[in-house]
Every structure is written in C-alpha cells, then in structure tokens.
Amino acid sequence: MAETYDVAVIGAGPGGYIAAIRAAQLGMRTAVIERGALGGVCLNIGCIPSKALLRNAEVVNLARHGETFGITYRDVQFDMGKAVDRSRAVVERMVKGVAFLLRKHKIEVIAGQARLTAPGKIAIDTSGQQVSARNIIIATGARNRDLPSLAADGKAVITSTEALALRTPPRHIAIIGGGAVGVEFAYYFRAYGSEVTVVELLPRLVPQEDEEVSRHLERALAKQGIAVRTGAGVTGAEHAGGRVRLALSAGEPVECDTVLLGVGVRPNSEGLGLEALGVAMERGNIVINERMATNVPGLCAIGDVTGKLLLAHVASAQGVAAVEGIAGLAPRALRYEDMPRATYCQPQAASIGLTEAQARERGYEIKTSKAALMASGKAVALGETDGFVKIVADAKTGEVLGAHMLGHDVSELLGEVAVTRLLEGTALELGRAVHPHPTISESLMEAGLGIYGESLNV
Amino acid sequence: MATDVIMPQMGFDMKEGTLVRWLKREGDAVRKGEMIAEIETDKAVVEIEAFGSGVLRKTYVGEGQTVPVGYVIGVIAAAGETVGDRPAGGAPPKASPAHHPSPGKGVAAAPASGEAMQRPQSSASHERAGGQPMPASGEAVQRAQSSASLERLKVSPLAKREAEERKIDLAQVTGTGPGGRITREDVVRQATQAGTPAKAGPATPALGAATLRFGETAPLTRMRQAIARNMTRSKQEIPHVYITAAMDMTRAVDLRQQLNEALGAEARVSVNDMVLRACALALRGYPVFNASYTEAGITVHPQINIGMAIALPDGLVAPAILECDKKSVAEIAQASKVLAERARAGRLTAQEYTGATFNVTNLGMHQVESFSAIITPPQTGALAVGAVQQEPVVRGGQVQEASVMRVTLSLDHRAADGAQGALFLKDVRALLENPVRLLL
Ligand SMILES: Cc1cc2nc3c(=O)[nH]c(=O)nc-3n(C[C@H](O)[C@H](O)[C@H](O)COP(=O)(O)OP(=O)(O)OC[C@H]3O[C@@H](n4cnc5c(N)ncnc54)[C@H](O)[C@@H]3O)c2cc1C
C-alpha cells in the first residue's frame, strides 16, 4: 500500500509547481504528477521561450535602426535559428530551476499521465502506479485551439508551439488572432523580415485592453510595417501550391505561405476521469469557487484548466490560494481584475484593473489622467517615446481603478500599480511617492498627480 | 463568477452562527452589498451582505440552522452558471485539521510568516502630511490635514478617503487587515452598520426605547428580539445550576476607600471593579468557565474577557473588558467607565460587543440582595452580584457588624458541575476577603 499524500498536484506548470511548493512549505506531504516537462506550457512553449525570442526581436530592431545611435554595419545578418537556440537554452535553464526547487522542498515528482479513479485516488496510466491523496489539485492547463474552418497541420498552418521553433522567417505569415500571443509573434516575425498580416475578428487589436491602448498599439505596429485587419473573421482557407489563401468576412482575402493560429486555448480537462466523479464543468473549464474548490470535496482546480484568466501568474496565485485553503489558513480572495496583464512586443501594452469603459459600466464616476512618454526624459533618452501611461481613478476617493500603459518595457511598471491596489493606495499616493529620475516610472507618478490636476511635467 | 456566501466571524470567540432568516430567496437577484440574510451571533442579530452580484442560486442552510464560522451557506452566481448542490469544498474549513499530518509544522509556519509581514508595515502605513509641503489646491490641503490627525492609526489611504466620504470616525472602526490595519471594507462595514442601526445590535440612539402605552402593543425592537432569542435559546439549551455564596466585604470596602483617596475622583474604583478583577483572576484556575460548550468539545478561550452588563433604555449589552485578568483594578475601573460611555453612545467595537467569555451582572446599586443570571450562549458561566449590606456576623463567638455581599454563579451543567462552581466561588471569596491580593 503506497503512502497517502496530503496534497497531490496534477500538472507541473506555473500553477501546479507553485502549489506544490507552497504545500511543502506548509508542512504537507506533497507529490506532483507531470506527463511532459516540468514548468508546463509557460516555461517550455509559452511565456519564457517567447520572451527570449522577443528580446532577440528587440535587438534586431535596434540594429536595424543603428544609424540613430551612430552605428553603421556592413553585411549584418539576423539568424533566427540562433534566436531559437538561445530561447531553448533559456528554457532549459529555467526548467532545471523548477526541478531543483521541487527537490529542495522534498516534493515527490511522478512522471506520467494522471487520471482520477475515485475521490482521493489517482492512477498513473503510463506506469500503472496508484497514488492516494487527501487533497488533489488539478493544474493540467490548456492547449492551443483550432478554428472550425481551419485546423493546424504543423506545416502551413501552425500554432505558437511550432512558431517558437521556426528557424527561418516565413515570407508572408498571416496571424489569426490579435490577442497578446498573436501580436507578440507579429512583432517577432516582422523584426526578422517576414511580411505579417494580423487578422482579428473583433474591431480592435488586444481587444481586452483599454480602447486607447488598442488604437495606439495598432498605429505603432503599422509603423513597423505590420498589416492589421480588424473586424475580420476567417471564413475559409484554400491550400494551393504551398500557399494558403484565407477568405475573410470583410475585405480582400489574404494570401500567405504560413498561417499562425493564435485564437486561444482549450482546457485540458478530458481523460482525467472528472465526469465519473461528477465534477462540475462549463465548456470544459472546471468550475471553482473563490477557494479554488470544485464541487467535489477534496478536489481543487487552478490555472488555465479553470478558464478564469489564462496567465501564468494567475495560475500561481490560484495555486497558493488553493493550498492555503486546504491548510485551513484564512482565505485570501483573488480579485481577478487586480491581475496584471501584458503584451510583450515593443512598445509593450500593460494593464491592470478596470478599463475606462468597464469602470463606467460599473457605475463609477471616474477621472482619468494620461502622461505621454514624449514628456519623459528617460523615454526620450532611450529613443522610445511612443506611448503613454493612463490612470482611471474613482472621482470620489481617488482609488486607482485601473492603469493602462503602452510603451517601452511598461510591463515592469505593473508591479507598482498592483501594490498600490493591494495596499488600497490612491492616485494621490502614486503621485506623492518620489520616483527615481530619469525612469519611465515617473510617468506613473505624473499620471497620479494628474488625477488631482497637479501634474508637474505635463 | 460564483461567489460563496459564508457564515462570517463577528468576534474572535464566535465559532458558529445561526441563520435566522434569508432576506432573499433562491432565484432572487442580488446586488453586491445588498443584505441577503440575518444571522445570529451570540450577542446580536446581524444582517450579512452579498459580496458579489448575480442570482442567489442556492441556499445550503435552512432558517434556524446553526453552522460553523466560514461555512458556505449559499452561493451567488450568474443565472446560467453551474452551481453545486452541496457547498463547494463540502466540509467547513475548520474541519481541516484532518488534512494536517504534521500540524505542528504547518501551524507554526503560518503565524511566523504573518508576523514578519506585520512589522515593517506598522511603521510605513501612515503618512506624515505635516512634513510635506502643502499641495496647492484647496481640496488637496484638506486631504493633507485630515491625514495628519490620523497619524497614529493604521489605515489604508483608500479607507481614509472612504471614511471622509461617508463621515465615519476611523477611531471607531475595527481594522481587519494585517496588523489590524483598517481597510476600505472595514469602513464600509462600519458605515452600513451605522446606517441600519440595529445591525450590530443595540445602543444606537436611533434604536431608542419602544414607548409602551397601556392598551397598546409595541413592536419589538431589534435589541429586544435579539435578547428574546438569546435568552430563550439559553434556557432551552443550557441546563443552569445556580450557586450562591456570601462574602465578607468589610476589608474590600476599606481598601476601596483607601484606593479612591489615593487615586482621586477621576479614577474612582467601584466594588464591581474589584469583583471583576477577582473573577478574572479566579477564572485562570477554572478555565471551564471561560469556555464554550459544543458537542464537539469544550473550547477554552485564549483570553479572559469579562462582559460587564450595562443597562440601556431598551435592554442591555455586555461589552467585554478584554484580557481582564491582565488589567489592574485601576485599569479595570477605567475600562469599565469607557465601555459604559461607549455602550450608551452606541459606539462599541465588534470585539467588545461579541468578545466576552464570561459575564458579570450587578444589581447591587438597586439594593438587590441576590438574584441569578441567565448564561449568554455560548458562555458557560455568569455571575450575578448583589448589594453590599451591613449585617451582623459571628466572628470568634462575637456578633459583629460586617459588609456582606451575595453573589450567584450560574453555570452550564453540560460543561461543569456544581462542585467546580463552588470551588470557583471559594476562590473569588478568598480574593475579595483578602483584597490586597487583588492589587498583586
Ligand atoms: C506562446 C504563449 C505565450 C504565453 N505568454 C505568456 C506570458 O507572457 N505571460 C503569461 O502570464 N502567460 C503567458 N502564456 C500563458 C501561460 O503559459 C499559461 O497561462 C500558463 O502556462 C498556465 O499554467 P497552468 O499551470 O495552468 O498550466 P500549464 O502551464 O499548461 O501546465 C499544465 C501541465 O499539466 C500537464 N498535464 C496535463 N494533463 C495532465 C495529466 N493528465 N497528467 C499529468 N500531467 C498533465 C501538462 O503536461 C503541463 O505541463 C503564454 C502562452 C503561450 C501559448
């Protein structure tokens, strides 16, 4: 009879491995079961390799504009294969880090495909091993989705996973989906010289962002030579002679040699034995409450498989909340609107909290304030003046309801706003805190002061 | 997103609450902040609000049912959303010890890290507006001034603005954030309680006394309802034992006189303050009377918080003198004065309202010789104190005049027996008859 764990986690992505570490930290006997590589999508085929490639794209773009800095080259070459090699090296290093952390916390790592056979019982299909646990956390993530009219074939029609491994830029790539993933790849392939068309069904790019951010980003990408087709759905695809012709619901069809599907993900909730246990699901997403508990006692779910907010840091935060709930600690409710969101092309789009429109919808009387990066000494010095920092505040209390930013590395400013929200700071505190000069963070301070009509540099 | 409705904790010793009445039915639309149910704590009937908007899809607990703090009593979700037939997570969170194979380690880890978080915060949580140049606009100047007066309070900036907006005195708000920091939610809670007077129970002037007229029926005020419910519940559930003892208060009365001469008019000590002190000290040796009885066991409270019954125009409250055994007689005198004032002004904190672990009630000022009290659930004991009277006593074969006081202990016979009560009273007597021990 094998031992019984206090907590068994299925899936070692940013949700699962963080949950396991927190559980071990609280003194629970913990196991994590993973069928693939430690680190999940995020470390292996998501956040980390894509950010490594985007750094390459940024360097390539700087090199292309070397004259600005008085640097001239003859015979400059941009080897995308080497960029991919670098990104794999980054991945390898981070995955090793996860393995080390799990070892350090004496967490049992079990390799294989897990399936629940009864409450508290897991079978590892690949090895036949049985695992018992008082609490089980499902963190099996999600996988890329196809379009009804277009399925990935790994050749002409690819997903982000193949795109991360391409060693030469496609001549013309059409990217279906103008969300974060689509826009990041557009920026990357464009830097390496591909002709890029982004097709988005909704009327604007990064449609979940504040409208002003979307509009500004569209202009910035257009400047880089990226074609954007918004308000256009794919209605059909024809393959002919190694090329794909995409029919769109609006405007001319797009001809390209590669199609990248960036249309979202589907939860990995099948084959886990959830139906037999009566686990409540909604369109494949496991339904959870604010303590991450499912409707079945002793069973929690976190991360992409819950379909709440498909971001790595959200998965991790859910993991910590689930484990602390299991340990009987006072639950810290996650406010999903307080989760920071970013798109890592340059200029970056970064946001947290409510958009202007959402705040109005919820009946807030609001004040907004915007600081253009044009006025930031640091942005000018960097030669990256495109963008702005915008704050949406409650007109009554000054509460920072949302921050919406576009600009060079502005995702790094999200932490400051997240802390402000957590500590219930207002725009006044953002404005009063002395910020280092010259940094782009000063724009956040200016925007904060701007809520009270007291901006100093605008 | 589905939001659970949970049984809230309204004071540290509250372990369970009774669902009195659903104000919304399954299927009713609810807005965040709307009152959805009435629950009863040991002291008062309290309305609880929805923490999310949507439809009250399920109620898991029926009216009259008692469940532990933290138990999911219902769920609010969108109309189409799937909700469970049972509360998600099944057992209430407090059943979690079973999940803990090595509780020692797990339990120790949590408070330790909590403590580390609080320390830096206490020094950084308020701003020194006085040290900064005044901002230009009039509005901003106002803001700066109001924050200066709050310098010693740990309070979030947003809570501060919210309090200004709602005209709430932050000194009256109990903070629930890390290290007792006042959050916006705390202010909003206070504001809604003030707005609906009876919410936290008694004492707001608006509540007033029901005017009774001959030949008419006056509706019950919330406080009357709460008292009626609590006392009925007590008498139905708790088998009371009453034990009366007389004590010679001659030396205590002398000591009190000396103390008051020394302390001055401002800090006058009453006989009741001495009784409170004696009880608190005696309770240390009889934890069973500083406890709560449930079928799961007898829970001894970590602090000795003595509730002091205070009569109000329409009923009474018994706010707690927190950690009474750690206070000197003079400190108890001070605390009881402040509590009485605040109780009459309706400005007690939630912990004072609900934190008592043992009640003392005194009718001596009305020349009552002795009487017996009903235990306030979930306490296990109460002491009823009569007047100090001049009586003849026999000392060493001689009849002498002495100051005698009678007290009656009511005890929960499920938790303790008469002999324990008698021994407890013996300790109380020993302390009051040798009152210098109260000063140690
Ligand atoms: C290209 C790309 C870029 C992205 N960039 C970002 C970004 O910049 N920032 C960000 O926050 N998010 C980003 N994301 C999203 C992010 O990767 C996910 O939100 C995150 O990985 C979700 O974590 P998770 O723990 O829920 O699941 P996953 O990371 O998907 O991990 C789930 C794990 O469970 C395993 N598993 C599944 N089923 C079983 C089973 N039955 N038995 C055993 N193991 C199983 C899987 O093998 C996998 O390792 C990106 C995603 C993509 C595709």
Side-chain angles (χ1 to χ4, degrees):
Chain A
M1 186 50 211
E3 65 182 314
T4 298
Y5 293 99
D6 299 311
V7 176
V9 185
I10 305 180
Y17 87 78
I18 290 293
I21 290 174
R22 184 68 182 127
Q25 224 171 41
L26 291 175
M28 301 192 227
R29 294 199 52 77
T30 309
V32 57
I33 306 161
E34 171 58 59
R35 66 178 177 198
L38 295 179
V41 167
C42 172
L43 256 63
N44 292 282
I45 49 170
C47 331
I48 295 301
S50 64
K51 266 74 263 179
L53 294 180
L54 287 168
R55 172 66 176 159
N56 269 72
E58 193 181 334
V59 173
V60 166
N61 278 343
L62 275 176
R64 285 191 194 283
H65 298 109
E67 336 72 84
T68 318
F69 302 95
I71 302 169
T72 44
Y73 317 82
R74 244 169 300 136
D75 197 23
V76 58
Q77 266 165 35
F78 304 115
D79 184 344
M80 210 170 87
K82 290 273 164 57
V84 172
D85 292 341
R86 193 180 84 84
S87 92
R88 294 328 297 173
V90 169
V91 166
E92 204 177 311
R93 181 163 154 186
M94 298 310 294
V95 169
K96 276 204 189 116
V98 173
F100 165 78
L101 284 174
L102 294 176
R103 242 194 339 271
K104 175 178 141 191
H105 287 93
K106 304 197 168 49
I107 293 161
E108 193 83 29
V109 178
I110 300 170
Q113 167 95 19
R115 187 168 48 86
L116 283 114
T117 50
K121 297 266 178 285
I122 301 170
I124 313 298
D125 283 357
T126 28
S127 65
Q129 191 183 339
Q130 302 287 328
V131 176
S132 309
R134 293 184 186 85
N135 297 279
I136 294 174
I137 300 176
I138 301 178
T140 49
R143 61 185 182 281
N144 283 316
R145 199 163 69 89
D146 288 336
L147 275 184
S149 56
L150 194 59
D153 59 15
K155 291 196 273 297
V157 183
I158 62 174
T159 67
S160 59
T161 309
E162 292 83 27
L164 290 170
L166 285 186
R167 301 189 69 86
T168 49
R171 221 163 43 76
H172 184 178
I173 185 165
I175 299 175
I176 320 287
V181 171
V183 166
E184 288 177 8
F185 277 109
Y187 172 77
Y188 166 63
F189 286 121
R190 184 64 198 148
Y192 277 94
S194 300
E195 195 184 324
V196 179
T197 305
V198 182
V199 179
E200 167 60 50
L201 182 63
L202 291 168
R204 54 191 172 96
L205 286 187
V206 287
Q208 73 287 2
E209 297 292 345
D210 198 85
E211 177 141 14
E212 233 174 319
V213 169
S214 293
R215 294 293 172 227
H216 207 111
L217 181 65
E218 282 168 15
R219 280 202 298 278
L221 295 182
K223 253 191 261 171
Q224 297 173 20
I226 294 168
V228 176
R229 301 278 299 272
T230 50
V234 177
T235 53
E238 271 172 46
H239 297 253
R243 288 186 65 77
V244 186
R245 196 181 144 91
L246 291 176
L248 302 185
S249 59
E252 293 292 297
V254 175
E255 276 206 31
C256 57
D257 42 28
T258 306
V259 178
L260 169 56
L261 290 178
V263 290
V265 293
R266 286 171 47 184
N268 292 328
S269 55
E270 312 93 337
L272 281 166
L274 299 182
E275 295 80 3
L277 290 184
V279 177
M281 288 189 266
E282 232 173 60
R283 283 176 288 116
N285 297 315
I286 300 177
V287 176
I288 53 169
N289 68 7
E290 74 267 13
R291 284 187 294 277
M292 314 301 143
T294 68
N295 61 325
V296 173
L299 190 65
C300 292
I302 57 171
D304 281 7
V305 75
T306 66
K308 287 282 186 200
L309 195 55
L310 309 175
L311 293 168
H313 44 280
V314 176
S316 301
Q318 288 179 315
V320 170
V323 168
E324 292 185 351
I326 289 169
L329 300 180
R332 290 185 268 173
L334 281 191
R335 292 195 296 189
Y336 289 98
E337 66 205 33
D338 279 355
M339 301 292 135
R341 310 166 291 256
T343 304
Y344 296 86
C345 54
Q346 295 289 9
Q348 299 182 341
S351 67
I352 183 170
L354 304 180
T355 64
E356 208 178 318
Q358 285 167 340
R360 287 220 169 81
E361 243 164 60
R362 298 210 187 170
Y364 282 104
E365 196 189 311
I366 59 167
K367 271 191 192 160
T368 66
S369 157
K370 210 166 87 175
L373 295 194
M374 205 83 84
S376 155
K378 179 64 177 289
V380 175
L382 287 175
E384 309 280 1
T385 53
D386 209 4
F388 60 86
V389 169
K390 171 174 161 179
I391 289 177
V392 179
D394 181 345
K396 282 212 193 89
T397 57
E399 178 183 10
V400 179
L401 298 172
H404 306 280
M405 309 186 265
L406 188 91
H408 185 80
D409 279 356
V410 287
S411 62
E412 301 289 345
L413 304 185
L414 284 172
E416 177 176 347
V417 188
V419 172
T420 304
R421 295 268 311 151
L422 184 73
L423 296 182
E424 298 194 337
T426 69
L428 190 66
E429 283 72 41
L430 268 186
R432 278 192 183 167
V434 175
H435 285 61
H437 178 73
T439 57
I440 297 195
S441 72
E442 288 172 289
S443 302
L444 209 44
M445 171 177 75
E446 290 290 343
L449 289 172
I451 293 290
Y452 303 94
E454 293 170 8
S455 296
L456 299 169
N457 277 295
V458 182
Chain B
M1 193 187 79
T3 312
D4 286 344
V5 183
I6 64 167
M7 177 59 68
Q9 181 154 30
M10 307 296 293
F12 86 90
D13 70 338
M14 176 176 166
K15 293 285 184 286
E16 55 182 25
T18 304
L19 195 114
V20 176
R21 195 155 69 91
W22 282 103
L23 302 173
K24 298 278 176 184
R25 301 277 144 198
E26 279 187 9
D28 283 359
V30 295
R31 264 179 301 110
K32 187 173 170 171
E34 237 184 322
M35 298 304 164
I36 50 173
E38 262 179 31
I39 58 148
E40 182 189 295
T41 71
D42 51 336
K43 296 293 187 302
V45 175
V46 179
E47 289 179 346
I48 58 173
E49 62 182 86
F51 286 108
S53 299
V55 173
L56 181 61
R57 293 286 304 282
K58 270 266 172 250
T59 58
Y60 298 120
V61 172
E63 296 181 351
Q65 242 177 299
T66 301
V67 295
V69 162
Y71 192 81
V72 178
I73 59 177
V75 61
I76 297 167
E81 219 169 309
T82 322
V83 298
D85 282 325
R86 294 165 284 159
K94 75 173 201 180
S96 64
H99 297 157
H100 258 303
S102 50
K105 197 173 170 197
V107 168
S113 70
E115 215 170 77
M117 295 292 296
Q118 287 169 18
R119 237 172 275 124
Q121 216 184 19
S122 62
S123 57
S125 60
H126 52 76
E127 51 191 11
R128 281 196 56 97
Q132 291 180 2
M134 285 294 181
S137 78
E139 198 193 346
V141 171
Q142 240 179 7
R143 282 194 307 265
Q145 282 166 347
S146 64
S147 52
S149 59
L150 294 168
E151 234 165 349
R152 300 241 52 98
L153 273 177
K154 290 209 277 182
V155 50
S156 88
L158 192 52
K160 217 181 298 177
R161 307 286 127 76
E162 194 76 51
E164 284 162 21
E165 186 71 25
R166 295 174 181 256
K167 310 213 166 15
I168 293 288
D169 177 4
L170 280 172
Q172 306 306 324
V173 179
T174 313
T176 61
R181 188 176 194 243
I182 299 172
T183 66
R184 193 237 305 252
E185 213 178 304
D186 298 329
V187 174
V188 171
R189 191 181 315 115
Q190 178 86 6
T192 21
Q193 283 176 3
T196 42
K199 190 174 170 193
T204 32
L207 194 75
T211 339
L212 297 182
R213 290 200 186 82
F214 290 101
E216 281 180 26
T217 304
L220 296 178
T221 60
R222 281 297 179 78
M223 187 191 290
R224 274 267 62 87
Q225 289 174 19
I227 293 172
R229 237 189 318 267
N230 263 328
M231 294 301 105
T232 309
R233 183 179 144 206
S234 176
K235 275 290 191 171
Q236 281 168 353
E237 281 179 21
I238 302 181
H240 286 62
V241 174
Y242 306 100
I243 303 168
T244 305
M247 24 206 92
D248 183 347
M249 295 291 283
T250 313
R251 290 159 78 179
V253 169
D254 282 344
L255 179 69
R256 171 177 172 246
Q257 202 173 348
Q258 287 173 36
L259 278 176
N260 284 342
E261 275 164 18
L263 291 168
E266 288 307 299
R268 283 182 68 83
V269 168
S270 69
V271 170
N272 198 52
D273 298 327
M274 300 174 89
V275 174
L276 288 170
R277 168 92 176 139
C279 271
L281 291 179
L283 279 172
R284 284 187 181 166
Y286 292 90
V288 69
F289 299 122
N290 194 63
S292 293
Y293 171 91
T294 65
E295 258 150 36
I298 295 169
T299 307
V300 179
H301 303 298
Q303 298 180 351
I304 295 177
N305 300 339
I306 300 203
M308 174 183 83
I310 295 170
L312 296 168
D314 180 50
L316 81 163
V317 279
I321 298 178
L322 304 175
E323 299 196 274
C324 195
D325 61 327
K326 300 200 179 128
K327 291 189 162 71
S328 68
V329 177
E331 283 166 344
I332 290 172
Q334 183 57 30
S336 60
K337 257 182 225 92
V338 171
L339 276 186
E341 270 165 31
R342 289 231 303 277
R344 293 191 180 105
R347 300 209 323 219
L348 293 168
T349 68
Q351 205 194 355
E352 287 164 351
Y353 263 130
T354 59
T357 56
F358 180 89
N359 275 0
V360 171
T361 165
N362 191 327
L363 290 177
M365 61 293 229
H366 303 302
Q367 284 75 53
V368 168
E369 190 181 330
S370 94
F371 71 108
S372 50
I374 299 179
I375 296 168
T376 304
Q379 297 171 16
T380 49
L383 194 76
V385 182
V388 178
Q389 298 176 324
Q390 295 312 110
E391 292 181 13
V393 294
V394 181
R395 275 192 197 125
Q398 294 236 319
V399 176
Q400 291 184 347
E401 188 182 328
S403 303
V404 176
M405 177 182 80
R406 288 185 176 75
V407 300
T408 302
L409 173 72
S410 307
L411 66 88
D412 182 343
H413 208 338
R414 298 172 305 175
D417 305 309
Q420 280 165 289
L423 291 171
F424 168 76
L425 283 183
K426 199 170 156 190
D427 273 13
V428 173
R429 182 202 284 118
L431 284 158
L432 288 170
E433 292 189 346
N434 301 287
V436 273
R437 286 177 55 198
L438 297 176
L439 304 182
L440 298 179

